[in-house]
Amino acid sequence: MPRSTPSKSSFVGLAAVFAAFFFAAGAPTPLLSLRQQEWGFSASALTIAFSIYAIGLLVALLIGGTLSDHLGRRPVMLIALSGELLSMIVFIMAPNITWVIIARAAQGLATGLATSAFNAAITEHAPANRKKIAGGLAAASVAGGLGLGALVTGAAVQFTPDANTLIFAILAVIMVAAIAYVSFTAETVAAKPGALRSLVPRLSLPASIRREFGAGLPVHIAGWMFPALFLGLSPALLRLQFGLDGGLVAGFTAFLGPFAAAAAGFYFTRHPARHSTLAGVSLILAGIVVVLIGISAPWLPAIWIGAVLGGVGFGGSFGGQLRLIAPLVEPRQRAGVFAGIYTAAYLAFSIPVVIAGLLVPAWGLVPTLQAYGGTLLVFAALGVVIQAVRLRQQPAAEHNPLPVRVGA
């Protein structure tokens, strides 16, 4: 039986491994645009390639979201890493868009299986004096990974002859190293019967979190629609509205928001969770207004400024929401609850972009993006109102959150 690494180092190490999943998820944004130019596939195929990742992720969350509560965190994390490694190999060898879609589906399944298990494990490995930042660190891992994946891959597209092979070969090596690392981490929950029964799709929303979860839905929808705009639609915007098709500018545009979110996630952990959520969703509201101005003008710097504003808001609001809910959940419920949170998040991340992609041929790019931004704005405004009301109603609870309970 492998020895266990100390929880203090595992806390940071597992967050880094979790970020690697999202680095890999952000990498295809510049590559799909390049592949479309090389292979000549349709816009609908591009939409499928983007959406199939989110569909696979949601399927894995719904079916396997509570699996680590039964098998343990470590076995599920290792299965997810193995699936991610397989998807990297398929990306390298893919001869056409069909195989890219298969790789994206496998990547989505692996990431979905990893999401609840890694979130729970990060929380449980956090030292006692770091429990409050566990949710923020997990959120930063997601956002930072997406942003860096898009930026690094965009640079590779711009400056190397075979960016696809280079990026996914490096990621394959990282996944092999991650498998070895996770094998030596300590298990934080005891295995219990019911693993097969847990595969029946259901979400875990204990009574203790239902009001908080419902109040946070507009925040999640606005927050996750924001990076999806840049990761899913910005290459088309840059090419058609600004005449820019370089990999580096596409990667940089997709990078700004998620990177700002990751940096902000760490900053906001110093502040009460409710304040972070309210400030974050307010910044998302401001960010989408600036982005819409940049799209309509058109003025690219405004889009970049709006991306940073909204990204900071995403980091504050999503991390704040995780910190509001985590202390209310029993250890045995944690993976299922995270599955529920991320199911809502990825529905917001995927479905609106898919709808927008289908509407572009009929409506045109700019009107579609304006409608997308207007919808996001409505949810952000609703989130501001709800969080302001809850802050006013429960100031004592928000200033003195319960400690996160740790499983055996």
Side-chain angles (χ1 to χ4, degrees):
M1 185 161 180
R3 67 180 180 83
S4 298
T5 59
S7 287
K8 190 171 183 179
S9 63
S10 298
F11 169 55
V12 177
L14 288 173
V17 174
F18 189 44
F21 279 90
F22 292 92
F23 185 106
T29 295
L31 286 171
L32 284 173
S33 181
L34 176 67
R35 289 305 197 196
Q36 187 178 29
Q37 296 174 39
E38 292 176 348
W39 293 340
F41 52 83
S42 66
S44 61
L46 182 64
T47 300
I48 292 171
F50 180 83
S51 62
I52 197 69
Y53 166 82
I55 292 169
L57 192 150
L58 289 171
V59 168
L61 276 174
L62 289 170
I63 294 175
T66 62
L67 191 60
S68 74
D69 286 335
H70 298 274
L71 298 183
R73 311 299 186 213
R74 186 169 56 194
V76 175
M77 290 189 290
L78 289 173
I79 293 169
L81 283 164
S82 299
E84 188 76 3
L85 174 61
L86 176 63
S87 73
M88 299 300 100
I89 294 170
V90 177
F91 271 120
I92 293 170
M93 301 178 65
N96 53 48
I97 189 58
T98 300
W99 281 97
V100 170
I101 290 171
I102 292 171
R104 286 286 282 172
Q107 186 182 39
L109 288 168
T111 306
L113 191 61
T115 295
S116 58
F118 270 91
N119 269 274
I122 290 167
T123 298
E124 290 157 359
H125 275 280
N129 63 341
R130 293 289 183 268
K131 293 299 180 187
K132 292 182 181 179
I133 72 167
L137 183 59
S141 298
V142 174
L146 286 170
L148 286 174
L151 179 64
V152 173
T153 305
V157 167
Q158 190 82 38
F159 300 116
T160 67
D162 189 358
N164 185 80
T165 299
L166 175 65
I167 291 296
F168 289 115
I170 291 172
L171 282 167
V173 172
I174 290 172
M175 295 305 160
V176 171
I179 288 171
Y181 175 79
V182 171
S183 298
F184 282 83
T185 59
E187 182 55 75
T188 53
V189 295
K192 64 180 182 180
L196 288 177
R197 195 164 56 250
S198 76
L199 298 179
V200 176
R202 61 180 180 271
L203 300 177
S204 177
L205 291 177
S208 61
I209 71 160
R210 286 173 192 166
R211 288 188 64 190
E212 196 64 72
F213 181 83
L217 277 177
V219 178
H220 290 312
I221 293 171
W224 283 86
M225 281 183 68
F226 196 89
L229 169 65
F230 289 90
L231 290 165
L233 298 172
S234 66
L237 173 65
L238 292 169
R239 186 172 63 254
L240 299 177
Q241 184 77 336
F242 295 97
L244 301 170
D245 58 6
L248 187 57
V249 69
F252 177 74
T253 303
F255 157 82
L256 281 172
F259 181 78
F266 289 107
Y267 169 77
F268 277 107
T269 57
R270 306 174 187 174
H271 301 280
R274 183 76 63 195
H275 290 80
S276 298
T277 302
L278 178 56
V281 74
S282 299
L283 285 169
I284 291 170
L285 180 61
I288 193 59
V289 169
V290 176
V291 168
L292 286 171
I293 291 171
I295 291 172
S296 303
W299 189 40
L300 186 55
I303 293 176
W304 288 342
I305 293 167
V308 173
L309 284 173
V312 171
F314 176 44
S317 63
F318 187 59
Q321 280 292 295
L322 292 182
R323 288 190 288 129
L324 282 169
I325 286 177
L328 306 176
V329 181
E330 297 291 340
R332 61 184 174 81
Q333 301 169 326
R334 199 168 280 141
V337 167
F338 282 127
I341 293 170
Y342 277 94
T343 296
Y346 281 105
L347 283 171
F349 183 74
S350 59
I351 300 301
V353 167
V354 173
I355 293 171
L358 295 174
L359 289 175
V360 166
W363 289 11
L365 179 64
V366 171
T368 300
L369 290 176
Q370 289 170 335
Y372 184 103
T375 304
L376 197 165
L377 191 152
V378 168
F379 280 109
L382 182 60
V384 168
V385 172
I386 292 173
Q387 294 301 317
V389 169
R390 289 185 69 82
L391 177 62
R392 188 167 183 175
Q393 289 175 340
Q394 301 175 337
E398 299 308 324
H399 283 289
N400 298 284
L402 295 172
V404 176
R405 292 181 289 272
V406 183

